[in-house]
Amino acid sequence: MSKSIKFVQGNEACVEGALYAGLDFYAGYPITPSTEIAELLSDRLPRSGGKFIQMEDEIASLCAIIGASLTGRKVMTATSGPGFSLMQEALGYAVMAEIPCVIVDVQRGGPSTGIPTHGSQGDVNQARWGTHGDHAIIAMTASNHQDVFAVTVEAFNLAETYRTPVILLFDEVVGHMRERLVIPEAGEIPLVDRLRTSVKEGVDYHPYLPREDGRLPMSDFGSVHRYNVTGLYHDMWGFPSSEPQDIHALLHHLVDKLENRTNLIARYQEYYLEDADYLMISYGSAARSALHVVENRRLRGEKFGLLELQTLWPFPHDIVREKCARAKFVVVVELNMGQILREVKLAVDQPQKVFLANRIDGVFITPADIVNIIRLIQGKGV
Amino acid sequence: MSKSIKFVQGNEACVEGALYAGLDFYAGYPITPSTEIAELLSDRLPRSGGKFIQMEDEIASLCAIIGASLTGRKVMTATSGPGFSLMQEALGYAVMAEIPCVIVDVQRGGPSTGIPTHGSQGDVNQARWGTHGDHAIIAMTASNHQDVFAVTVEAFNLAETYRTPVILLFDEVVGHMRERLVIPEAGEIPLVDRLRTSVKEGVDYHPYLPREDGRLPMSDFGSVHRYNVTGLYHDMWGFPSSEPQDIHALLHHLVDKLENRTNLIARYQEYYLEDADYLMISYGSAARSALHVVENRRLRGEKFGLLELQTLWPFPHDIVREKCARAKFVVVVELNMGQILREVKLAVDQPQKVFLANRIDGVFITPADIVNIIRLIQGKGV
Amino acid sequence: MSKSIKFVQGNEACVEGALYAGLDFYAGYPITPSTEIAELLSDRLPRSGGKFIQMEDEIASLCAIIGASLTGRKVMTATSGPGFSLMQEALGYAVMAEIPCVIVDVQRGGPSTGIPTHGSQGDVNQARWGTHGDHAIIAMTASNHQDVFAVTVEAFNLAETYRTPVILLFDEVVGHMRERLVIPEAGEIPLVDRLRTSVKEGVDYHPYLPREDGRLPMSDFGSVHRYNVTGLYHDMWGFPSSEPQDIHALLHHLVDKLENRTNLIARYQEYYLEDADYLMISYGSAARSALHVVENRRLRGEKFGLLELQTLWPFPHDIVREKCARAKFVVVVELNMGQILREVKLAVDQPQKVFLANRIDGVFITPADIVNIIRLIQGKGV
Amino acid sequence: MSKSIKFVQGNEACVEGALYAGLDFYAGYPITPSTEIAELLSDRLPRSGGKFIQMEDEIASLCAIIGASLTGRKVMTATSGPGFSLMQEALGYAVMAEIPCVIVDVQRGGPSTGIPTHGSQGDVNQARWGTHGDHAIIAMTASNHQDVFAVTVEAFNLAETYRTPVILLFDEVVGHMRERLVIPEAGEIPLVDRLRTSVKEGVDYHPYLPREDGRLPMSDFGSVHRYNVTGLYHDMWGFPSSEPQDIHALLHHLVDKLENRTNLIARYQEYYLEDADYLMISYGSAARSALHVVENRRLRGEKFGLLELQTLWPFPHDIVREKCARAKFVVVVELNMGQILREVKLAVDQPQKVFLANRIDGVFITPADIVNIIRLIQGKGV
C-alpha cells in the first residue's frame, strides 16, 4: 500500500484505517449513519482476500466476528445506537472470553430509534456500562479524518495487545462529513499482530495462563489445540470455576489489564494547555467547535486551552486531573446531557469548577453556542 | 386479599408484591437466579385471571409486556444479567414510548454468563446506562423481604404514575434467602391504577400531550382511539419529528419527569443518622451486613450510621449530600467494584472522604469483611 | 582494611560495619534472629585485638558494655525483643550517665517470646519509650546490606559524638537475607573517635561540664581522673542533686542534645519525591516492597514516591512534614500495627490523609499486599 | 467489712482498694515512693488469709504474681520507674499468656534512678510501649484518694474481665499525700471474680478458646486440667504455632479485646465541660492544680472546663475528640515533657490548638504555673 490522498467521509476513513490495520473479517447489519462502512467493505474486503458477511441482525454480527477472531482473524463490525444496544450481551461475552475485536458505533440521537440522521454523543456511558457486571473496556473517538484513520488502526492494535473488544465511538457529523485524508505508507504506523502461542501441537495449551508480561497468547481455534471458551468465570484452561479466588483473580485480570494501563492507553491532543487559565475538554465532532473557540480567544489574548480526548475509556483520570489543576474553570463540550462531564468531575480536585456546554437537539454545536454558554459560566448572563 | 404471614424466598416476596399491585400480564424466559418468579407466576397468575406466557428469549419477553401494557395491563418480566443485556434495545423503546412496565433483574455475578448461582450487585450502572442515548430511569432495590414486597408494589405505582419502565434490581442473596413476610391486607398500601384518557371515542386523542400536572393519560391500544407509537422522536400525536425544538422538548420531558422529582421518588431507610460521625451507605443484601456493623459499633459507643438506599435511580444526590455533610468518612458497601460509590462521590462535597467496602468474588460480604476494610480506611492497617 | 565484596546476611553486614567503625568490645547473650552477630564476633573480634564475652543474660550484657565504654572502648551488644525488654533499665542508665554504646535489636514477632523465626518491626516504639522517664534516644535502621553497613558505622559515630546509646533496629528479614556487600576501604567513611578530655592528671575533671559546642569530653574510667557516674540526677561533677534547676537543666540537656539536632541526625533515602502525588513512607525490610510498588507505578505513569527513613528516633518531623506537603495521600508501610504511622500523623498538616499498609502475621509484606491496601485507601474496594 | 473513714496516704488508699477487691497474693521488692504499699500489705495480707512475699528483685516479683494468678489468686505487685523497667519482659509475657494481674507504678522522676523522692508522670508512654512488640494494655490513674481506692478496685475487675495485666500509674504526690478516704461497705462496689471454666475434670479444656462473648474461662493451674501456657504465639490449646492465620488472630484478639472496648473501659471525670470554650485535660496529681485553675476562672465568668482522665490506656480517643470539638484551645497539664499531649493531638481534629502546661523539675505544678502558661498560649506573653 503506497501513500495516497483522498477526500472522503469519516466512515470511509475508518474503513481505510481498518484495512491498513489488517482487517480480514467483517460481519454487520446496516444502520444509519454507519451504513457506508459496511457498503465500502462489501466491495473492498473481498478484493484483498478478506471476508464480508451481512448477518440477519446485530447480535449475529457481533457473534460472527467473535468466532472469526478466535480462528485468528482481525475482525470488525459497525452499527449505530439501536444495534449497539442489541450487541450488549455478546459484548460481555467478548470481554469475558477475551476476544480481540473492533466495534464501531457511529452515534445518532437516542434513546431508541431516536433521530437516525442527526449526530449525537449519547452512547458514551453505554459503551462503558451497557453490558451487565463489572468489567473494563476501551473506547476511542476522533474529531477529524486523519485521526479517525489513526484511532482505527490503534483500535486494532489495542484489541490484539490486550485481547479485548475495542469500541470506536464516532458520531454522525464526523461519519458523514467529507475531509482530506492522507493514507500513510505501509509500515509507517506499526501494527500489532495476533500473539500466537509458542506451545506445540500435542502439548497442553492454557488459553488463560498469562505470560510474565500479563499477555495471553492465543491459538487459532479449530487448529492444533483443543480448549474451552466460555462466558462463565473460568480457570487457566478455560473451564468454568466458581471458586472465589478464581472469580476474584479473573475479574481483576479483566479490569486491571486495561485500567492499570490507563495512562499508556490514553490518547489525546493538547492545544495551548501549558498556560491555559480556562480549559475546555471535548472529543469527537464537538471538539472541532471547541478548538475554534480556543483559537479565537487566544487571538484576543485570553488564555484558553483545549484537551481533546481520543481515548474515552478507560477514562484518563490522572491526565485530566493534572491538566485541570491550574484552570480557573473547565468546560466540557459534548453532544449529550453531560456524560463525560461526570468523569471530569470525578477526576478533578474541585468538581464545582467544571461546567457543561452541550447541545441535545440533533443540531451540531457551534462556536457561538459554546461562547454563549461560557458567558453564562463567567457570570456575564445571556 | 387478607393479611397472611409467609416464610418465603425474596423472589416469592416479589411475586406477592406484584400480585398485590395488580399484575395481570407476565412474559419471561427463565434464568437463574430469577427463575422462581416465573415459576410461581405460571401457577398464580392464571388462577387470578391474569396471563402468563413463556417467550423464546428475553427480547421477546420485554416486547410482549410492552405490547400488553399498551392494551391496558399491569405488566412485568423478570430476568438476570445476560437476559437484562438482551433487553437493552427494547428498554430504550419503552423509555421513548413511555410504556409503564416493571422489569426485575435478580443480579448474579457478571460479566457475561459469569457466575449464575452467586450474588452480585454488578448491574447497577447497566440499569442506568445500558440502553443507548440520554434518558432517565427508575431503579429500586431492597434488603429484606418486607421491603422487597413494598418496593415491588411501589414499582408498579411509579410505572403507572410516570409512564415509565421501572427496574427492580434485586440480588441473588435476597432472591433466594428465606425470611418472614407479612402480606398487608388489600387497601393497606395504596395502588396507582392506569391513568386513562377522558377523551371520548371519536374525539382526537393525543397520546403525548401532557396534562397540566405533566402526566400523559393513556388509551388502551386497539380500543376506541387510533394513535401512533414509535421509538423515534415524536410530537404530541406520536408522529416522528426531526424538528430540533421537538427533540429538545421530548428529551427534556423524558428526563425531567423523573429527575426533577428525584426527592419524591427517593425511598430509603435511615439508621442512627442523626448523630453519626461514620456513615455507611448501602443497599440490597449488602445493607444487611452494613446494618450489623453499625449496630455493633453503637454498642461500643461509636457513632456509626447507615443510609440504606432503596431507590438507586434517579440517584438521590441531594439526600445523600445532606446525610453525608457531617460524616468524618463515608463507606459505600456494595457487591461490585464501586458503582454507587461513583454517585456518592459525585453527590458529596468532599469526595475524598468516601470509601468502598466491597466483595466481588461471588461470596456474600460479611460484617467482618466490612470491619476489616474500615480498619484500613481508618489508617489502622490489617 | 582493603575494599572487598561479600555475599552475606544482614547480620554479617552489621558485624562488618561495627568492625569498620572500630568496635573493640562486645558482650551479649544469643537470641534468634540476632545470634549470627554474636557468633561472627566471637571469632572476628579476638583476631583484631578486641574482646568478646558471652554474658549470663541481656541485663548483664548491656551493663558489661556500659562499663567497657566508660574505660574508653567502642562497644556493642545485640539481641532481639525479649532481650531488649530486659535491657530497658540499663538503657535508661546509659541515657542518664551518657554512655556511648550501640545496641542492636534484630526484631522478631512480639509481644513476649512471640514468633522467634519470623520478621517484624514491632519494637519501634519500645526503642523510644521502653525505659521509664522522659528522655531522647537515637534509633536507626536500613533496608539493604550496604545501608546496614553504613548505618552501623554511623551508629558508632553518633554514639561517640553525642555520648548516647544508639539503637540499631534491624528486622529478621534484613538480618537473615543474603545480599551483596561492598566493604569500603579504610578511611572512605570518616570515623568519630572518643572525645577525651584535655584536662591533665591532677587537674579537676568535670565529666558533665559541657564544652562550648555542647559536647562532653570523657576520661577513661579507672585511668588518671576520679569522678562519679550515677543514674541519679547530678551536677557537673556527677554528684547527685535534687535541686529543681539541676534537674531541669540535665533533662533538657539529655533531650535537647539530640532533638535539637534532629535534622542533622536524620538519615533517609528519597525515591521520586520531587513530583510525587502519592507518597509512601517506609523503613527496614518493608521499604524494599514499598520501593517495588513505587517503581511499578512510575512505569504506569502514576506519580508515586518513597521516603525511606533510616533514622527513626529522633523522628524527623520537619522533614516528613515537608515531604508530605503536596501528597494526595501518604501510606506508611511497616511490619507492625502502625507505630511510625503515629509519628507521621503527628508530623503532617493533614493527618487524615495518612494511611497504614502493614502485615502483622509474621509473613513479609509483598508489593501485592501493599497494592491491595492502596486500592482500599483509594476507595476502590477489594 | 463495714464502712469506715480514714486519713491516709494515697499508697494506703491503694492498699485498701486492693484488699476490698479481693487481693490475696502480693509479691514485690521495695522502692521509693511505692514502699508503703509493700509495707502495709506485709502486715494486712496475712491477717486476711492472703500471702505476702518479698522477692529478690522486680523481675521475680512480677513472675511470682503471674504464677499465683494462674493458680487462681487475685494478685498485685507495686514498684516505681526503675523496677517497672525491669518488669517489661515479664509484662509482655502476662499480655501474651493473658494473666490477670495488677501492677502499681508510683512514679518518681526519671530516667534511670533519676530523682527518687519527687513526683513525676514520666512513665505514661512506658506503660504503653515498654515491652517489645505490638499489644494493648490497660493503665489507670487518679488524682485523689477516693478515686485511688475506686480505680484500684476497678483495676482488679478489669484484669479479671479481660484476662490482662492492668497498670496503676500513680505518682509520688498522690502516693505520699494524706487525705480523707471513705471505705465503702462490702458489696457497694461490684467485684468481678475469676471466670472459671465449666469444663469438668477429664474433659478437654481449651485455655485459649473464647466463649461467645469473647471471654476466656480459666482453670486453676495445677488443679484438674493439664494445659500449656507460653509466651509464644499459640493456638486454642496454648500450643505454639507459627501459622500466619494463628498469629494474626491472636494478636488481634489481644489488641481488640481492649481497644474495641475503649469507650467502655474509659473512666474519666468531667468538670464544666458542657459549655467550656477553654478545655484542660489532665490526670493524676496534676489534675488537682488544673481543677483549681478551672474553678477560679469560672468565678471570673470565663468558660474553662476540665477533662480528668482516669483511664490512660487504651487512650479514649473518641471521648477526647468529642469533648475537644468546640474548645478554642486545649491545654494538657502533666508532669512530663508531653506524653499524653501526643495522644490528644492524635485524637482531635485540630492538633494545632492543643498546648502543653507542664513541669519537669521534680516540683509539683501549681495553679500559678498553669496560669502563667495559659497567658502565653493566649498570646499575652509572660
Side-chain angles (χ1 to χ4, degrees), chain A residues 11 31-34 37 78-82 84 104-110 113 115-127 139-142 167-176 283-286 312-313 334-336 339-340 362, chain B residues 132-134:
Chain A
N11 284 342
I31 180 171
T32 300
S34 75
I37 294 174
T79 187
S80 189
F84 193 45
V104 184
D105 174 8
V106 186
Q107 297 164 90
R108 66 192 211 181
T113 37
I115 178 77
T117 55
H118 290 56
S120 154
Q121 296 175 327
D123 305 349
V124 169
N125 277 348
Q126 183 191 31
M140 305 184 78
T141 188
I167 297 164
L168 288 171
L169 272 180
F170 298 132
D171 58 64
E172 189 272 344
V173 177
V174 163
H176 282 163
Y283 56 95
S285 62
L312 298 182
W313 307 112
E334 53 184 338
L335 297 175
N336 57 45
Q339 299 190 13
I340 285 298
Chain B
H132 61 283
D134 290 301

Side-chain angles (χ1 to χ4, degrees), chain A residues 169-203:
Chain A
L169 272 180
F170 298 132
D171 58 64
E172 189 272 344
V173 177
V174 163
H176 282 163
M177 172 180 71
R178 283 194 181 268
E179 200 173 62
R180 188 172 187 264
L181 171 69
V182 181
I183 299 174
E185 291 188 32
E188 204 171 312
I189 305 180
L191 302 183
V192 176
D193 286 322
R194 178 65 51 96
L195 177 67
R196 289 189 170 80
T197 180
S198 57
V199 170
K200 297 286 182 291
E201 186 174 358
V203 181

Side-chain angles (χ1 to χ4, degrees), chain B residues 37-288:
Chain B
I37 294 174
E39 190 180 353
L40 287 160
L41 283 171
S42 69
D43 178 53
R44 295 283 295 278
L45 207 45
R47 290 175 191 266
S48 62
K51 300 291 180 196
F52 172 92
I53 182 166
Q54 176 167 332
M55 301 301 290
E56 68 271 28
D57 62 27
E58 290 87 347
I59 297 177
S61 299
L62 180 48
C63 289
I65 69 168
I66 288 172
S69 178
L70 277 169
T71 68
R73 303 303 99 194
K74 286 195 172 180
V75 303
M76 182 168 89
T77 187
T79 187
S80 188
F84 193 46
S85 285
L86 284 170
M87 288 177 180
Q88 291 305 324
E89 210 259 325
L91 177 61
Y93 180 88
V95 166
M96 186 61 117
E98 303 189 65
I99 311 293
C101 57
V102 175
I103 301 161
V104 184
D105 174 7
V106 186
Q107 296 165 89
R108 66 194 210 177
S112 197
T113 37
I115 179 77
T117 54
H118 291 55
S120 154
Q121 296 175 327
D123 306 349
V124 169
N125 277 348
Q126 184 192 30
R128 175 68 185 84
W129 299 109
T131 197
H132 61 283
D134 290 301
H135 64 285
I137 200 79
I138 297 177
M140 306 184 78
T141 189
S143 66
N144 63 70
H145 292 7
Q146 206 60 47
D147 286 347
V148 166
F149 182 95
V151 301
T152 301
V153 175
E154 180 80 357
F156 280 89
N157 286 349
L158 291 171
E160 295 296 336
T161 303
Y162 298 115
R163 282 191 66 170
T164 183
V166 175
I167 297 164
L168 288 171
L169 272 179
F170 298 131
D171 59 65
E172 189 272 342
V173 177
V174 163
H176 282 163
M177 173 181 70
R178 284 193 181 269
E179 201 173 63
R180 188 172 188 263
L181 171 68
V182 182
I183 299 175
E185 291 188 33
E188 204 170 311
I189 305 180
L191 303 182
V192 176
D193 286 323
R194 178 65 50 94
L195 177 67
R196 288 190 171 80
T197 179
S198 57
V199 171
K200 297 289 182 290
E201 185 174 359
V203 181
D204 269 2
Y205 161 65
H206 299 92
Y208 298 102
L209 178 65
R211 298 198 309 189
E212 270 198 9
D213 63 359
R215 294 186 65 188
L216 298 173
M218 298 183 76
S219 172
D220 293 352
F221 204 80
S223 178
V224 299
H225 298 108
R226 280 188 65 194
Y227 59 95
N228 199 49
V229 181
T230 179
L232 293 165
Y233 279 95
H234 47 266
D235 57 22
M236 69 179 174
W237 289 275
F239 289 117
S241 167
S242 58
E243 289 301 311
Q245 65 271 31
D246 286 345
I247 299 174
H248 191 275
L250 179 51
L251 182 48
H252 263 291
H253 163 70
L254 294 175
V255 169
D256 293 351
K257 73 177 180 180
L258 301 183
E259 300 203 340
N260 286 353
R261 293 183 177 90
T262 295
N263 292 349
L264 297 176
I265 295 171
R267 187 181 172 115
Y268 57 91
Q269 305 286 346
E270 288 188 44
Y271 299 92
Y272 307 99
L273 286 199
E274 60 291 334
D275 68 342
D277 291 329
Y278 310 103
L279 183 61
M280 311 190 77
I281 296 179
S282 190
Y283 57 95
S285 62
R288 300 176 73 99

